[in-house]
Amino acid sequence: MKQIIAGNWKMNNCAEGIEAYAKALRHAPLRAEMIICPPFPLLAPLHAALAGSLIKLGAQDCHSVAAGPHTGDVAATMLAAAGASHVIVGHSERRTDHHETNALVRAKAEAAQQAGVIPIICVGETEAQRDAGHAAAAILAQLAGSLPATLPYIIAYEPIWAIGTGKTPTLDDIAAIHATIRDATSPTSHILYGGSVKPANAAAILALPHVNGALVGGASLTAADLLAIAIHAT
Ligand code: 13P
């Protein structure tokens, strides 16, 4: 399976501006499937800047219904209309900041699928869960509650304590969790690793079994860093 490198800009713009970022990506020889996930207002301009390239566009959230009185929310159908083929759902920052439950994450993933948008469903343990030896159980519970009944979906394993901290699990620990997730899901869905993926650690992480790509936060804000990660994808 071809690896996926997805960039999650979170609530940031890219460092060099959309046109320069898109230009750098569109001219790079890429083996991986690339998905860039900017904030909502940048979806349409980035879509225009990437037109004609193979780089895909993702959003960072969607609502669980297709339309209605939900001030401030965005429906998956609207993301599709803006050019998004993917959407991140259940990121730990949304589970924390917006109290999103597994059931809500599943409903969002299903809404995305109905709109023809592939959900990237995030799971990951807290530091306390890991220290108590409960990482795998925590992740399996999130998967059981968050995954839709049908494909397509992508799973992103992001240990919460590794996000934005520069800390990562050991390679053995990443491999073990990915093997656990693989056993709990379909053989064909991608399982991405996320949490402090950088150019310096990407080769080792992307070489692990059942690591089918990476979901990259901070290092996706410059095209150069994201490409320095993507070069290690197979
Ligand atoms: P960092 O790569 O900045 O640790 O963020 C990971 C992440 O949360 C991607 O969704």
Side-chain angles (χ1 to χ4, degrees), residues 8 10 88 91-93 122 158 162-166 194-198 215-219:
N8 175 8
K10 308 192 178 183
I88 298 168
H91 191 283
S92 63
E93 287 152 13
C122 300
E158 300 204 306
I163 294 176
T165 59
S196 294
V197 177
K198 308 286 179 205
L215 180 54
V216 183

Side-chain angles (χ1 to χ4, degrees), residues 75-81 84 109-118:
T77 47
M78 297 168 179
L79 303 179
E110 288 169 349
Q113 290 175 329
Q114 278 157 24
V117 176
I118 298 174

Side-chain angles (χ1 to χ4, degrees), residues 198-200 202-203 222-232:
K198 308 286 179 205
T222 67
D225 276 353
L226 192 63
L227 289 170
I229 291 168
I231 203 158
H232 298 293

